[in-house]
Amino acid sequence: MSQSNMMNQNNMPNGMPPHMNGIDSSHSSRDSSPTVRYPYMTQGPMAPHRPIPANQLPPTSKTINQLSQNYSNLQINNQLTPRTSPKMFSTSTPNEQVKDNQSQPAIDRNKSQQSQGGVLSPIGFNHSATSHFSNVALNGNSVSNLGQTSQRFNVPSNFGGTQLPHQNSLPSNAVAPPPRPPLQQTLSQPRLMAYNNGPVPTSTSSPQHAVPQNHMTQRPLMNQPNRMPNFNLQPSVPVQSPATRMPTQMRMPNSMQQYPNMHQQQHHQQQQQRYPTPQQYTNQLQASDQLPNVTSNSVHQNSTPAQDIPIRANLHSNRYPTQPQYNQSHQQQQYTQQTIPLQQQQQQKLQQNFYQQSSQNVVQSGFNKLWGVENFDLLQTPNILPKTKVEVPRITLGNELLDHANCKPDIFRCTMTKIPENNSLLQKSRLPLGVLIHPFKDLNHLPVIQCNTIVRCRSCRTYINPYVYFIDSKKWKCNLCYRINELPEEFQYDPVTKTYGDPSRRPEVKTSTIEYIAPSEYMLRPPQAAIYLFLLDISRAAIESGYLHTVCSVLQSELNNLPGDTRTQVGFIAYDTALHFFSFADGLSQPHEMTVLDIDDVFLPCPDNLLVNLQDCMELVTDLLAQLPNRYNNSFETGSALGAALQASYKMMASTGGRVTVFQATLPTIGPGALISREDPSQRAGSDVQHLNPANDFYKRLALECSGQQIAVDIFFANSQYVDIATISGICKFSGGCMYHFPLFKASRQSQNESFEKCLRRYLTRKIGFEAVMRIRCSRGLTIHTFHGNFFVRSTDLLSLPNINPDAGFGMQVSIEESLSDVKSICFQAALLYTSSKGERRIRVHTMCLPVVNNLTEIINSADQQCIIGLLSKMAVDRSVQSNLSDAREAFINVAIDILTSYKASQNMGATSGLMVPNCLRLLPLYISALLKSIAFRSGVSTRLDDRVKAMCDMKTSPLPNLIQQIYPDLYPVHNLHDQNVIENEDKELVPMPPILQLSARNIDSNGAYLMDMGTHMVIIVCSAVSSMFLNHVLGVSDYNSISDEMYELPSLDNEHNQRLHLLINYLNDEKPMNATLQIMRDSSPNRNMFFEKLLEDRIETALSYHEFLQHLKTQVK
Amino acid sequence: MAFNFPAFSYIIALIVDAFLIFFSLFHVIAFDELKTDYKNPIDQCNSLNPLVLPEYVLHLIFNILFVAAGEWVSILINIPLIAYHINRYRTRPVMSGPGLYDPTSIMNADTLTRCQREGWIKLAFYLLSFFYYLYGMIYSLISS
């Protein structure tokens, strides 16, 4: 198929040519006709009557009743409990305290405690400090201010009865809620309970109560020695007894008291929409009972039976008609609500011991963690990095089944797990909105479906996915454009159970990552064969680097493992100042070399036999690979005609498409696309970096031509001098290729050669998809703004990818064009249509669904810091190319300032002395300060231009986990693996998992050994005072000085110390596409800089330390 | 009532301006087609790029005539656009041929919106100045 044909497919009206129905035709996707849309709009007011999960419920009188009912249950239960054990009180007190705190949105939690404690902003401030303390305490730093806070929490419980009328001007008998209280009262009900912690009437006089009280007041004393003064934000606040605090409260001016009250009321109303019903709280409470420091994951774990029922209508309930079946689930929900408190009671008894020991704000912070809304003062928390891998925030749609079906975060990830309702809200949060996708990732379990008709929306061509809505068994409603579509008869059949009936059992509807084997409509031409062409630089510099030996030996050993079928073809071109073609014609005993000297007007010396079937000509190819390394040993041509070689390969492959692999060792200086060295080595450390842009557009234009003919170009740079990657990379960028860079390559250097070999081996044997296109669709109201990665954008949502490989990641910036207030969730769908190496046309579809929210606090708390960093780094690369590097660096800092400022504003924190961040963004400043020191964006440090440009290209194309590891490598202490936590790997072996350390010299101990995992490379640094046991048993050397400077593998020794380290390294390698290269060095080795320059938190001459960076942010955050 | 050089320059400006109106109309339509996926960016850039320089040159021609005729007001009106054109061409992406539009970056939503807006604004400007030139022509014919 010719280029124009490929390119013009979008000209045709939707659905016209059958082959276009694949991925291509959706110009009408955004606008379904108004007649279709109208009915859903009128459904709007109906929505509240529909039984949707409680956390999505708007405030109705019914829920409020349940709420209060549930509270009264609790109350009664508490009072009925025999008071034999004094623990009972302390148990119930934190329980309800926390419950009520939880039931309020994060924004006014400080306020509610202010009013409880009766002290204004200092206490509010103190509260945030304490929650921070307790986190620190949980993190093992043993900083504790527990007693002080718990004391304060106790106050209301003692004086609850007296305070109530004063604060709320409600009769104190409102404590026991009437069965149907007036709306106003009910609204304030939960708050009343907050003041009324525990069994109020008896507690003050009860002698048993003295026990917990005593316990609490003793706490500060016990913790005194551990307390670190610099963490204590308000050491001067004395621990007041309840009696002394009481008058303080009474003296409070009225206006001051009322402000928080009004605030609470407002938020309380909102809260009912956004938070689960008390019954769900109860569940969460139970979960937290079991796990004192539960993480946000556990929100997910404890679903009620009611939630387990698939309630598909929840997602778009405003648009979807009511379904009778949901009433049932509602009843069930009510039922469970009644039964739960009893269970909870039992649970409480079981957990009393726990509460006896821990004080309230451990639970408090546990809950904050549970909700992911805790915040940190960065300046006071130097050890911000979690000990284990940073957890990926989960998307919660309020329905277990749908949550489970959502796309895995390592494939599809959004910068926030909740989408703001409109653009102004997004702007307020200052967070970037975008998605990162790794569409062709190697997957272990991928459902593959072969069917006659692939079910897709008729108007926007969306593939059917778990988030569509089935109106009945014959119709479904698209979740992207909301059109109602017919369901084909075939879809009623469930291939797994071989039964007819329920369409929701189909794998398409159960999982959001799925692969279809496409019928012939999805083909523009018969699926192409796997065709590989290798371009080898044989100029003098290339010969001297010795890369040819490695390439040829690896290729020779992997020839049989190249992905492909019987049609697989290979070809070779070598080039210096001339092009050397190799013909593998029949009857030749060895390959025939043809040299073309005319490089300005390239032609092919013979029409065929240049690309030959691999299986037919295996011997000739092997023969050539054996000859090649030494064939040009005596050539002294310094020029390299890369441009001409690429043009020749274009001519060879134009009719078929395929993959061109280029090995380039020197700057192409002659022929078309010749370049001159632009780098001025004396300017390497300058702050103004020139020449990030291409010098000419030859490679870009050629790439576009290649892209039209389904040819992708991949380049291995094995250079010893400047090769102008900025210009040459154009050929990869726009043809969907990939790039590898081995600066200062010498095959004689073992470590370099090893990593080159590993890369090449992985490259040759990994999966490959040919003639691919990827289309990203998103719900109406959203548009994809900018794409990042290696591809050619053929239309607003279609990426042309001549080849797709499993290591390619993509990023998209998304903008909100229309208000999303009438939907509950939005979806992104990425569909990748490709030809597998076996000649099958396949479509891989990923769908991700995200809830829509309208609350700023929630949006900020739903941020995904790693994904934000991934997207920001891509945007910064664009910025530094279009503008300049210092602009990009400034933009990074501004993003951090903006986000922190907006968080502060959203929390109404006022003037605090700290730098507060929400939990979900706490690593953002750390990553940004690391990015500013990364090879791509650093300034003032001598950086070769090529290295910088390559690092920038990596930022655009690396999948997120790799990118994060490049930006901020993992550092593990490995000298005492025997007393670390263990985790199980796939083979059920116990792998020691040391805590991840922050990259700072203060974590490096002179008697330790440390492993730094930088993604493709691992370094173990052995410090001078390391124990001789480690040296002998783990490294197998007699003493420190006998560690050689060239130690590139860990010896296998027959002792458990050594095996533990092996297990750890293998475990870390398991997560990577290819094993990392390992280097072991002393801390006095000449290569040690490789390790020490990665200690990114420390101050270097030209850049701030992490702490200084925070100080700078602090001065800027208003 | 006599034919003089200012009147001549206005007549030329009128004719050229009519062409420019068509150019910017084409420009707007082309970007709309890109936005709605009807055209492939490579083809579209290939058809747009050759028209960029002629447009600029045509615009410059009648302004030179204005200078020669001493029509300072008309010059003043057009100077911002000339400056914009020069700046726009100076900061164009790296490309070997003439033109402004690069198929690899044109699909960026920002670029697309900017180009489309540019088209509309130019269209409005050329239309308004068309009537101004008409007025200028009649005025210079009458006054002399």
Side-chain angles (χ1 to χ4, degrees):
Chain A
M1 189 71 53
S2 75
Q3 178 184 359
S4 58
N5 211 341
M6 286 286 298
M7 292 299 178
N8 278 334
Q9 35 185 282
N10 289 313
N11 292 345
M12 306 182 193
N14 188 13
M16 275 307 283
H19 58 262
M20 230 62 71
N21 286 346
I23 259 182
D24 293 320
S25 50
S26 78
H27 51 266
S28 60
S29 64
R30 302 283 174 267
D31 33 18
S32 64
S33 70
T35 49
V36 181
R37 240 192 288 176
Y38 180 70
Y40 322 136
M41 308 305 275
T42 55
Q43 291 289 342
M46 298 284 288
H49 300 292
R50 213 161 302 129
I52 49 183
N55 57 351
Q56 292 183 1
L57 269 181
T60 62
S61 60
K62 194 155 193 175
T63 27
I64 291 163
N65 272 341
Q66 284 162 7
L67 199 72
S68 48
Q69 194 185 350
N70 201 16
Y71 272 98
S72 59
N73 274 346
L74 273 177
Q75 188 84 32
I76 290 160
N77 287 335
N78 280 338
Q79 283 174 350
L80 288 180
T81 326
R83 284 190 213 105
T84 46
S85 156
K87 297 163 195 165
M88 198 54 233
F89 296 105
S90 56
T91 314
S92 57
T93 309
N95 234 347
E96 295 203 340
Q97 170 81 46
V98 166
K99 178 203 295 284
D100 287 319
N101 280 333
Q102 280 309 313
S103 67
Q104 285 158 1
I107 201 164
D108 63 339
R109 198 162 304 135
N110 287 346
K111 293 263 160 52
S112 79
Q113 272 157 17
Q114 281 170 24
S115 51
Q116 284 167 29
V119 183
L120 276 176
S121 54
I123 294 289
F125 173 53
N126 201 3
H127 160 69
S128 54
T130 36
S131 70
H132 147 66
F133 288 142
S134 50
N135 296 328
V136 174
L138 284 176
N139 287 341
N141 269 4
S142 70
V143 182
S144 175
N145 202 7
L146 302 178
Q148 197 176 332
T149 336
S150 34
Q151 177 88 23
R152 215 178 60 238
F153 283 150
N154 248 353
V155 176
S157 74
N158 288 338
F159 291 89
T162 32
Q163 280 176 19
L164 279 170
H166 179 72
Q167 289 211 330
N168 301 302
S169 52
L170 275 172
S172 58
N173 63 5
V175 169
R180 270 178 199 279
L183 185 67
Q184 185 61 35
Q185 275 189 10
T186 346
L187 277 176
S188 54
Q189 192 64 45
R191 191 160 43 80
L192 286 181
M193 308 303 293
Y195 302 121
N196 207 354
N197 295 314
V200 177
T202 49
S203 63
T204 17
S205 56
S206 156
Q208 286 100 331
H209 195 74
V211 177
Q213 184 108 44
N214 247 344
H215 165 71
M216 305 278 186
T217 43
Q218 276 166 12
R219 279 302 283 261
L221 289 174
M222 297 191 310
N223 286 319
Q224 208 73 18
N226 288 337
R227 191 188 297 173
M228 287 157 66
N230 61 329
F231 285 117
N232 200 338
L233 289 181
Q234 218 171 14
S236 59
V237 174
V239 181
Q240 286 178 317
S241 76
T244 54
R245 187 163 293 193
M246 174 65 184
T248 328
Q249 203 165 28
M250 301 297 258
R251 267 184 268 120
M252 269 171 60
N254 261 344
S255 58
M256 280 181 156
Q257 283 183 335
Q258 267 162 12
Y259 172 60
N261 279 353
M262 285 158 55
H263 218 79
Q264 283 172 12
Q265 199 117 357
Q266 278 175 7
H267 282 281
H268 184 71
Q269 286 177 338
Q270 287 177 13
Q271 155 236 324
Q272 296 207 344
Q273 281 179 307
R274 284 180 280 111
Y275 288 88
T277 58
Q279 168 244 327
Q280 277 161 318
Y281 290 144
T282 327
N283 277 359
Q284 280 145 14
L285 211 60
Q286 285 165 5
S288 76
D289 283 350
Q290 286 142 14
L291 301 164
N293 38 3
V294 271
T295 55
S296 54
N297 267 359
S298 49
V299 176
H300 193 68
Q301 289 163 2
N302 38 63
S303 68
T304 64
Q307 272 182 315
D308 285 336
I309 295 168
I311 306 174
R312 190 141 288 137
N314 298 337
L315 287 173
H316 308 290
S317 54
N318 276 353
R319 297 196 191 234
Y320 292 152
T322 321
Q323 290 275 297
Q325 69 187 70
Y326 299 131
N327 289 332
Q328 274 184 340
S329 74
H330 192 212
Q331 280 161 12
Q332 199 169 348
Q333 211 168 3
Q334 278 182 314
Y335 170 73
T336 39
Q337 275 176 5
Q338 284 162 0
T339 54
I340 283 281
L342 281 173
Q343 293 167 5
Q344 185 220 4
Q345 185 95 47
Q346 288 164 351
Q347 288 270 344
Q348 279 177 358
K349 281 182 195 162
L350 289 174
Q351 299 297 329
Q352 280 165 2
N353 282 334
F354 164 67
Y355 276 114
Q356 181 69 18
Q357 283 153 18
S358 63
S359 78
Q360 281 173 336
N361 63 351
V362 173
V363 182
Q364 171 87 31
S365 72
F367 266 102
N368 277 341
K369 272 197 159 183
L370 184 81
W371 288 93
V373 294
E374 63 190 331
N375 54 16
F376 292 86
D377 183 352
L378 283 179
L379 290 173
Q380 307 294 334
T381 323
N383 292 322
I384 194 83
L385 197 73
K387 301 275 176 256
T388 51
K389 289 255 174 197
V390 179
E391 232 172 81
V392 181
R394 301 188 65 133
I395 300 166
T396 43
L397 294 165
N399 180 325
E400 178 93 354
L401 214 66
L402 294 182
D403 282 352
H404 188 68
N406 226 337
C407 198
K408 297 278 173 292
D410 47 359
I411 295 173
F412 221 147
R413 209 156 150 183
C414 182
T415 53
M416 34 186 99
T417 54
K418 292 167 184 166
I419 297 289
E421 186 178 84
N422 51 45
N423 199 29
S424 71
L425 205 55
L426 177 65
Q427 297 304 323
K428 255 187 231 161
S429 76
R430 312 295 292 166
L431 296 169
L433 178 58
V435 289
L436 299 186
I437 180 166
H438 187 183
F440 203 55
K441 187 178 191 301
D442 291 322
L443 295 170
N444 292 330
H445 307 288
L446 179 69
V448 180
I449 289 184
Q450 184 155 30
C451 50
N452 297 335
T453 47
I454 296 176
V455 185
R456 301 177 66 180
C457 174
R458 277 180 62 108
S459 92
C460 69
R461 311 297 300 151
T462 299
Y463 295 81
I464 195 163
N465 60 67
Y467 305 102
V468 302
Y469 172 61
F470 288 101
I471 291 165
D472 54 38
S473 60
K474 292 275 159 54
K475 289 197 183 84
W476 61 281
K477 183 186 281 178
C478 174
N479 54 338
L480 268 69
C481 68
Y482 309 109
R483 183 190 199 275
I484 296 174
N485 294 281
E486 298 280 322
L487 208 55
E489 196 63 29
E490 188 192 8
F491 203 75
Q492 307 289 329
Y493 178 71
D494 176 20
V496 181
T497 59
K498 299 192 168 52
T499 48
Y500 276 91
D502 185 7
S504 67
R505 281 191 305 218
R506 291 276 298 197
E508 291 97 320
V509 184
K510 279 168 118 175
T511 161
S512 25
T513 294
I514 201 157
E515 190 154 281
Y516 296 96
I517 294 176
S520 53
E521 300 98 76
Y522 291 84
M523 297 169 198
L524 295 157
R525 56 178 186 183
Q528 73 165 75
I531 297 177
Y532 305 111
L533 178 64
F534 296 92
L535 263 58
L536 303 159
D537 185 1
I538 50 162
S539 62
R540 192 61 219 162
I543 298 294
E544 275 168 7
S545 78
Y547 85 91
L548 258 181
H549 293 269
T550 318
V551 170
C552 291
S553 67
V554 172
L555 203 53
Q556 220 164 354
S557 61
E558 300 293 347
L559 267 185
N560 287 319
N561 299 331
L562 289 177
D565 52 10
T566 50
R567 301 181 299 159
T568 307
Q569 293 183 322
V570 291
F572 295 87
I573 301 177
Y575 59 97
D576 43 16
T577 48
L579 302 184
H580 306 261
F581 294 88
F582 298 94
S583 155
F584 305 91
D586 286 341
L588 289 178
S589 60
Q590 60 172 15
H592 177 63
E593 179 180 344
M594 288 166 285
T595 307
V596 174
L597 291 171
D598 182 6
I599 50 172
D600 291 320
D601 186 17
V602 178
F603 60 92
L604 298 182
C606 62
D608 42 18
N609 294 327
L610 294 175
L611 279 170
V612 287
N613 188 298
L614 180 60
Q615 288 182 344
D616 296 350
C617 301
M618 189 60 105
E619 277 173 24
L620 286 174
V621 171
T622 328
D623 195 23
L624 175 70
L625 288 174
Q627 284 182 27
L628 264 180
N630 297 315
R631 192 180 175 99
Y632 300 101
N633 275 352
N634 300 321
S635 122
F636 289 92
E637 298 282 2
T638 50
S640 163
L642 174 64
L646 286 169
Q647 284 177 332
S649 50
Y650 172 74
K651 286 195 172 147
M652 272 165 81
M653 301 181 82
S655 57
T656 52
R659 181 175 81 185
V660 180
T661 311
V662 182
F663 296 90
Q664 180 70 20
T666 181
L667 190 70
T669 44
I670 51 166
L675 299 168
I676 49 161
S677 178
R678 295 189 290 168
E679 189 188 29
D680 177 3
S682 64
Q683 295 296 310
R684 276 178 189 163
S687 61
D688 187 24
V689 180
Q690 302 282 319
H691 307 306
L692 291 173
N693 271 309
N696 62 40
D697 69 338
F698 172 81
Y699 295 96
K700 178 159 74 180
R701 277 186 296 124
L702 190 57
L704 292 184
E705 285 174 34
C706 287
S707 162
Q709 303 305 322
Q710 307 295 353
I711 303 167
V713 183
D714 301 336
I715 299 193
F716 285 77
F717 291 104
N719 57 316
S720 50
Q721 279 181 338
Y722 179 70
V723 285
D724 203 348
I725 292 182
T727 308
I728 299 178
S729 65
I731 192 95
C732 308
K733 269 185 194 162
F734 303 109
S735 71
C738 60
M739 223 187 327
Y740 296 91
H741 185 211
F742 302 89
L744 310 182
F745 183 81
K746 282 270 179 292
S748 51
R749 293 194 191 124
Q750 198 192 336
S751 67
Q752 274 189 336
N753 200 31
E754 192 192 348
S755 68
F756 181 65
E757 209 180 296
K758 273 184 178 165
C759 270
L760 186 58
R761 218 173 274 279
R762 157 83 184 159
Y763 170 80
L764 291 174
T765 52
R766 70 186 177 188
K767 264 189 88 163
I768 182 168
F770 295 97
E771 41 186 3
V773 282
M774 179 161 78
R775 198 185 274 280
I776 318 281
R777 299 182 170 86
C778 46
S779 293
R780 195 168 56 207
L782 298 175
T783 45
I784 308 245
H785 183 270
T786 310
F787 294 90
H788 301 279
N790 285 356
F791 47 71
F792 171 57
V793 190
R794 215 157 67 187
S795 78
T796 44
D797 55 356
L798 182 74
L799 307 180
S800 150
L801 295 157
N803 281 7
I804 178 78
N805 68 68
D807 300 329
F810 302 89
M812 290 100 200
Q813 280 167 257
V814 177
S815 56
I816 302 175
E817 304 267 292
E818 296 166 35
S819 168
L820 303 168
S821 52
D822 54 345
V823 287
K824 287 268 191 284
S825 67
I826 56 98
C827 282
F828 292 95
Q829 187 173 71
L832 177 73
L833 172 65
Y834 68 97
T835 304
S836 76
S837 50
K838 302 266 181 272
E840 256 177 341
R841 200 79 173 137
R842 287 175 170 234
I843 311 163
R844 192 174 288 190
V845 181
H846 305 286
T847 316
M848 176 172 63
C849 185
L850 294 159
V852 175
V853 293
N854 59 4
N855 177 293
L856 184 58
T857 318
E858 245 185 300
I859 290 162
I860 295 180
N861 281 319
S862 71
D864 181 343
Q865 50 197 359
Q866 293 195 326
C867 190
I868 288 176
I869 287 295
L871 192 69
L872 281 181
S873 57
K874 291 176 204 302
M875 290 158 73
V877 171
D878 276 0
R879 176 69 70 90
S880 36
V881 170
Q882 281 158 11
S883 173
N884 59 51
L885 192 70
S886 44
D887 249 28
R889 288 171 56 86
E890 219 165 274
F892 269 128
I893 301 173
N894 287 338
V895 166
I897 293 169
D898 284 349
I899 291 178
L900 293 179
T901 310
S902 84
Y903 177 67
K904 204 168 166 184
S906 79
Q907 298 287 293
N908 292 330
M909 275 195 242
T912 57
S913 64
L915 187 64
M916 305 309 284
V917 285
N919 179 33
C920 60
L921 287 169
R922 68 193 194 279
L923 297 178
L924 190 79
L926 182 67
Y927 285 143
I928 286 183
S929 87
L931 267 170
L932 293 177
K933 292 182 187 175
S934 68
I935 296 174
F937 298 112
R938 68 189 177 191
S939 75
V941 182
S942 176
T943 311
R944 284 186 299 266
L945 187 56
D946 277 342
D947 294 0
R948 192 187 290 274
V949 173
K950 174 63 175 57
M952 287 186 170
C953 295
D954 279 349
M955 296 212 159
K956 292 274 263 185
T957 57
S958 290
L960 189 59
N962 305 13
L963 185 62
I964 293 289
Q965 220 161 30
Q966 277 165 19
I967 294 171
Y968 198 87
D970 298 326
L971 180 67
Y972 302 93
V974 291
H975 49 278
N976 57 347
L977 286 179
H978 49 278
D979 56 0
Q980 302 292 354
N981 290 337
V982 286
I983 43 175
E984 242 178 38
N985 67 6
E986 284 164 9
D987 304 330
K988 303 281 178 204
E989 291 167 316
L990 291 177
V991 181
M993 206 59 215
I996 298 180
L997 299 176
Q998 280 185 260
L999 297 172
S1000 165
R1002 74 188 141 87
N1003 287 327
I1004 306 292
D1005 206 358
S1006 68
N1007 56 14
Y1010 299 89
L1011 183 150
M1012 188 183 279
D1013 182 1
M1014 298 183 254
T1016 53
H1017 195 60
M1018 285 188 202
V1019 175
I1020 293 180
I1021 197 139
V1022 183
C1023 296
S1024 53
V1026 74
S1027 68
S1028 56
M1029 192 277 291
F1030 182 81
L1031 291 171
N1032 293 331
H1033 288 143
V1034 180
L1035 300 182
V1037 291
S1038 55
D1039 60 7
Y1040 171 73
N1041 287 321
S1042 56
I1043 300 173
S1044 100
D1045 286 337
E1046 305 278 316
M1047 193 166 173
Y1048 294 117
E1049 60 183 337
L1050 188 65
S1052 282
L1053 301 177
D1054 190 21
N1055 66 60
E1056 53 175 340
H1057 301 285
N1058 180 270
Q1059 279 160 8
R1060 278 201 195 99
L1061 187 54
H1062 270 292
L1063 274 175
L1064 173 65
I1065 291 172
N1066 291 342
Y1067 178 77
L1068 295 176
N1069 275 331
D1070 278 349
E1071 296 166 8
K1072 302 173 200 249
M1074 61 176 183
N1075 287 355
T1077 50
L1078 180 70
Q1079 184 166 12
I1080 300 169
M1081 56 173 88
R1082 287 171 295 164
D1083 64 352
S1084 58
S1085 141
N1087 300 326
R1088 65 179 183 274
N1089 204 28
M1090 188 196 272
F1091 179 89
F1092 286 104
E1093 74 173 6
K1094 288 287 184 184
L1095 296 178
L1096 295 165
E1097 280 177 41
D1098 297 333
R1099 190 168 201 286
I1100 53 168
E1101 256 173 67
T1102 50
L1104 301 178
S1105 73
Y1106 171 56
H1107 191 74
E1108 287 165 328
F1109 178 70
L1110 289 180
Q1111 298 282 7
H1112 174 69
L1113 289 186
K1114 173 75 185 76
T1115 59
Q1116 300 291 314
V1117 172
K1118 294 291 176 310
Chain B
M1 186 80 187
F3 189 77
N4 51 15
F5 190 67
F8 170 73
S9 62
Y10 275 118
I11 290 171
I12 296 295
L14 266 179
I15 297 166
V16 172
D17 204 59
F19 277 104
L20 290 181
I21 288 172
F22 282 113
F23 274 39
S24 50
L25 209 62
F26 179 71
H27 181 99
V28 168
I29 293 170
F31 277 96
D32 194 64
E33 276 176 345
L34 266 186
K35 243 186 174 167
T36 48
D37 292 4
Y38 274 102
K39 275 272 174 72
N40 151 357
I42 298 181
D43 297 347
Q44 203 65 293
C45 288
N46 286 344
S47 62
L48 280 171
N49 276 334
L51 293 180
V52 174
L53 274 186
E55 184 196 330
Y56 292 1
V57 168
L58 283 177
H59 185 243
L60 214 60
I61 283 175
F62 66 77
N63 277 294
I64 292 170
L65 286 179
F66 284 148
V67 173
E71 290 295 322
W72 303 116
V73 179
S74 311
I75 281 291
L76 226 60
I77 291 171
N78 279 300
I79 272 182
L81 187 61
I82 296 171
Y84 174 78
H85 281 163
I86 291 171
N87 185 51
R88 183 86 210 268
Y89 208 78
R90 207 174 48 82
T91 55
R92 71 182 190 138
V94 181
M95 49 203 297
S96 42
L100 282 178
Y101 308 108
D102 173 13
T104 58
S105 60
I106 194 95
M107 291 310 290
N108 182 308
D110 275 342
T111 319
L112 216 55
T113 329
R114 182 181 151 208
C115 290
Q116 208 169 18
R117 191 177 301 145
E118 182 194 330
W120 281 112
I121 292 174
K122 270 193 190 172
L123 184 62
F125 178 82
Y126 289 143
L127 264 177
L128 288 178
S129 51
F130 182 84
F131 292 110
Y132 173 74
Y133 300 148
L134 198 65
Y135 162 80
M137 181 193 76
I138 294 165
Y139 183 82
S140 53
L141 282 176
I142 292 171
S143 63
S144 50

